[in-house]
Amino acid sequence: MRITNPKDFWAGTLYIFFGTGAVLIARSYPFGSATRMGPGYFPTILGVILALLGLLSLFRAFRSDGDPLGSIAWRPLLAITGGTALFGFLLPHAGLPLALFVLIFLSAAISENFKFGWRPALALMLLIAFCVIVFVKLLGVPLPLVGTWFAGLV
């Protein structure tokens, strides 16, 4: 058998890897039932679905023609990964609004079409306000609005 669609092959491989990993990790949690779900129920079901989609994608990789893999876009990959890591670092130290600002701004700035004007700035502020209202106020997620760096100022 010859791989005729490398994109589907590698996507399917990743799906199977992550789906199987989720199922293996979730084995240590109580499963429960559909009416009384335990902490292992959702990751197990989601992992199985992901692995099945991976198998479907692998099947397609041998049956359909596809484009070869292109080169890896390192700049966006590193910027998104770095932005997420920076968000995780900034959240307890700077607070949710500033951490969101850095994450969103860095993620947008890697675009070739990025231009910072009053409309993107307004959209950025509205998105931050929306996240703070929904996650902290409405859902009660314990995220710090002011981090340890600024705790003495408030």
Side-chain angles (χ1 to χ4, degrees), residues 75-151:
R75 183 174 168 233
L77 177 67
L78 293 175
I80 298 298
T81 306
T84 305
L86 189 59
F87 174 80
F89 172 76
L90 286 175
L91 184 61
H93 300 294
L96 181 63
L98 189 58
L100 280 172
F101 176 83
V102 170
L103 174 68
I104 296 167
F105 189 81
L106 182 64
S107 300
I110 62 169
S111 172
E112 295 170 359
N113 302 325
F114 177 71
K115 291 183 180 130
F116 197 70
W118 72 270
R119 284 184 181 162
L122 179 63
L124 175 65
M125 294 304 146
L126 288 174
L127 182 59
I128 292 170
F130 176 78
C131 289
V132 167
I133 291 168
V134 168
F135 291 109
V136 177
K137 300 299 179 189
L138 296 178
L139 295 176
V141 178
L143 295 170
L145 294 178
V146 177
T148 57
W149 290 343
F150 306 112

Side-chain angles (χ1 to χ4, degrees), residues 3 5-18 54 57-62 67-70:
I3 299 170
N5 193 339
K7 287 183 180 180
D8 279 350
F9 176 80
W10 289 110
T13 302
L14 282 175
Y15 291 166
I16 291 170
F17 175 77
F18 285 115
S57 185
L58 275 180
F59 178 76
R60 288 183 44 187
F62 293 101
D67 298 328
L69 288 177

Side-chain angles (χ1 to χ4, degrees), residues 24-85:
L24 291 176
I25 291 171
R27 287 187 332 165
S28 62
Y29 300 126
F31 187 75
S33 65
T35 56
R36 192 155 172 86
M37 297 177 194
Y41 189 88
F42 183 73
T44 301
I45 298 299
L46 191 62
V48 167
I49 291 171
L50 192 59
L52 290 174
L53 287 173
L55 286 173
L56 179 65
S57 185
L58 275 180
F59 178 76
R60 288 183 44 187
F62 293 101
R63 298 286 180 214
S64 65
D65 291 332
D67 298 328
L69 288 177
S71 62
I72 296 175
W74 287 107
R75 183 174 168 233
L77 177 67
L78 293 175
I80 298 298
T81 306
T84 305

